[in-house]
Amino acid sequence: MKNVKCAKCIKCGAEIEAKPDITTCPTCGGIMDIVYDYEAIKSMVTKEDMAARKDPTMWRFKEFLPVEADSDTAGLKVGGSPLYPAKRLGEKLGMPNLYIKDDGLNPTSSLKDRASAMAVVKAAEAGAKTIACSSTGNAASSLAGNAAAKGLETYIFVPERAPAGKVAQLLVFGANVISVQGNYEDTFRLSAEAIDRWGWYNRNAAINPYLSEGKKTVTLEIAEQLGWKAPDYVVISVGDGCTIAGAWKGFKDLYAAGFIDKLPKLVSVQAEGCYPINKAVAEGYDTLVPMEENTIADSIAVGVPRNFKKAVDAVRESKGITVNVSDEEILEAMKVLGATSGVFGEPAGVAGTAGLIKAVAAGLVPKDATVVSVVTGNGLKDIVSAGKAVGKPLAVPPKMDALLDAFKGIGGPQ
Ligand SMILES: *Cc1c(COP(=O)(O)O)cnc(C)c1O
Ligand SMILES: [Zn+2]
């Protein structure tokens, strides 16, 4: 890979060759980071080249991605999700420069597809036939879908609380699904043991450094969609921390390669029932203190975030802010976003928007700032939670009299 220098440990700084199957640091066990040669990238691609490209998927940014030039990246259509000017929500909040990035429109309906598409390409480069992961649900279903498209076998470990919609996706995509009777931490540990035992390719986000490189394409896209500008703030919901770390890496890469001339501030949103990353940032400590996983937002219910350091470093480096939201605020945001924008997010998918609404009300984000709120997962994955956000429809017998009566009751048309 002409654009990649090496992989570097974020803990001890050890540098190793960026082989396709590297995991954590061989010296200290820390998480690795992919290091690019920005001079090489500059010589390989310009903004004008990018503008001329027809490929709308994440692979349009290939010079910024750690894949071999001859790797086969054909697969599901991942990336190219819309960045909507959120006019009506913006009016409601008094924010004229608000955007929604709807990443629930990826093929398996979450941002995780960006990491999984990368994982299946790297697995193929490594010559692997079987790939495995543990996940709160979306990484699992996206791996299963992207692997199905590539003809790879998958072993997927999910906690028993995973919503039915996500488990249905897994089974439909033909994964070998193991539903672990325990929490996400238990699930992660069992998957790690199984991966060791059978030597499968590892798609666990905190172990495999290529995954946040896939996830960073969400911010490469945002910058391009804004005309190669970074917004003032990017709002992201945070569980393991891989997504927000990837989002930050994307902006830093563009900045280092001269594609953008400033960096945004990150808004890290977690649930009040589980916020170990935000607590460390807010209170200024560096060692993970595990937390309970008490939130309706299952995709960010991560009591022991595996990408703790990368995430904490990202929020700090960006001079960003942290916001914690209650389940009620998440459900309210789901309703408001849906009704003003036509975008339906799952609880973790709209937690960012909930956090933004709260941060603006508290004066932490100025109303005139350019803000992108990323919706990370689609609401159809978890309709039980959606049912808690909204009421029931008006039920009537098939008679006009009955309809008029029912309308009278709610002040409807007569
Ligand atoms: C995984 C996920 C997140 C958080 O990403 P992390 O890398 O775990 O921090 C947020 N929203 C949704 C819908 C997700 O699936
Ligand atoms: Zn190390």
Side-chain angles (χ1 to χ4, degrees):
M1 297 181 284
K2 271 204 334 231
N3 56 342
V4 171
K5 277 188 180 157
C6 63
K8 183 173 176 180
C9 174
I10 62 167
K11 213 161 134 196
C12 77
E15 294 185 358
I16 60 171
E17 187 189 341
K19 295 201 177 126
D21 58 352
I22 52 171
T23 56
T24 46
C25 175
T27 311
C28 79
I31 293 175
M32 307 300 288
D33 200 22
I34 304 300
V35 180
Y36 290 88
D37 177 344
Y38 296 108
E39 290 312 311
I41 293 176
K42 280 185 197 173
S43 73
M44 291 160 83
V45 65
T46 64
K47 293 180 197 175
E48 290 69 38
D49 297 336
M50 214 67 104
R53 283 186 186 164
K54 297 222 165 57
D55 178 5
T57 73
M58 62 185 251
W59 302 109
R60 70 189 275 103
F61 303 108
K62 60 178 189 283
E63 290 83 1
F64 286 90
L65 295 174
V67 292
E68 299 292 347
D70 61 352
S71 270
D72 178 13
T73 55
L76 295 179
K77 183 186 162 291
V78 176
S81 69
L83 181 74
Y84 295 126
K87 256 192 106 221
R88 293 190 58 226
L89 181 59
E91 272 163 23
K92 211 175 155 69
L93 302 175
M95 300 181 71
N97 304 309
L98 175 61
Y99 295 84
I100 299 290
K101 176 77 170 162
D102 186 5
D103 241 47
L105 288 183
N106 276 301
T108 77
S109 307
S110 81
L111 187 149
K112 295 291 193 297
D113 280 336
R114 297 178 185 275
S116 294
M118 176 63 71
V120 295
V121 169
K122 296 310 286 184
E125 282 182 9
K129 298 270 179 290
T130 305
I131 180 164
C133 77
S134 70
S135 154
T136 55
N138 284 334
S141 54
S142 90
L143 176 61
N146 283 277
K150 287 284 213 191
L152 288 162
E153 187 174 19
T154 50
Y155 281 87
I156 312 265
F157 297 75
V158 287
E160 59 185 340
R161 65 152 201 258
K166 299 180 184 178
V167 177
Q169 281 184 301
L170 286 174
L171 296 167
V172 167
F173 295 143
N176 298 296
V177 186
I178 299 102
S179 174
V180 179
Q181 290 154 354
N183 63 11
Y184 177 56
E185 175 62 9
D186 300 324
T187 308
F188 183 92
R189 280 216 218 96
L190 182 60
S191 79
E193 251 184 79
I195 287 166
D196 262 1
R197 185 179 183 106
W198 286 291
W200 299 324
Y201 190 82
N202 192 332
R203 186 243 179 266
N204 278 332
I207 303 284
N208 183 328
Y210 294 112
L211 301 180
S212 57
E213 297 298 314
K215 286 183 174 179
K216 86 181 177 192
T217 58
V218 70
T219 53
L220 302 182
E221 252 171 59
I222 289 170
E224 187 180 25
Q225 286 167 319
L226 290 174
W228 296 115
K229 282 204 182 68
D232 299 317
Y233 293 85
V234 175
V235 187
I236 294 181
S237 55
V238 177
D240 243 340
C242 173
T243 306
I244 198 163
W248 182 236
K249 181 79 181 301
F251 283 120
K252 282 203 302 186
D253 284 350
L254 290 176
Y255 186 76
F259 275 60
I260 55 174
D261 56 15
K262 68 160 199 181
L263 291 165
K265 292 185 164 69
L266 298 174
V267 181
S268 166
V269 182
Q270 295 204 282
E272 282 180 356
C274 189
Y275 61 104
I277 289 172
N278 280 358
K279 192 167 192 299
V281 174
E283 296 176 15
Y285 59 84
D286 291 318
T287 316
L288 167 64
V289 180
M291 272 196 173
E292 299 285 302
E293 298 173 350
N294 287 326
T295 169
I296 191 172
D298 64 289
S299 306
I300 55 168
V302 182
V304 184
R306 295 285 162 178
N307 254 304
F308 176 79
K309 181 171 163 49
K310 264 192 188 180
V312 167
D313 288 352
V315 183
R316 283 184 184 151
E317 266 179 54
S318 82
K319 305 189 172 56
I321 59 175
T322 60
V323 193
N324 303 315
V325 290
S326 67
D327 285 357
E328 292 69 35
E329 287 164 336
I330 289 172
L331 292 175
E332 182 57 27
M334 184 187 289
K335 236 167 43 176
V336 170
L337 180 67
T340 56
S341 313
V343 172
F344 183 14
E346 65 164 297
V350 299
T353 307
L356 174 64
I357 293 170
K358 198 167 181 175
V360 170
L364 295 170
V365 171
K367 289 189 171 178
D368 59 353
T370 299
V371 179
V372 176
S373 184
V374 182
V375 175
T376 47
N378 193 291
L380 286 174
K381 283 175 174 268
D382 181 5
I383 52 170
V384 173
S385 293
K388 294 179 186 153
V390 291
K392 294 227 169 343
L394 207 57
V396 296
K399 296 239 164 54
M400 182 49 82
D401 280 358
L403 180 59
L404 286 171
D405 267 358
F407 273 161
K408 198 177 264 169
I410 60 158
Q414 286 293 311

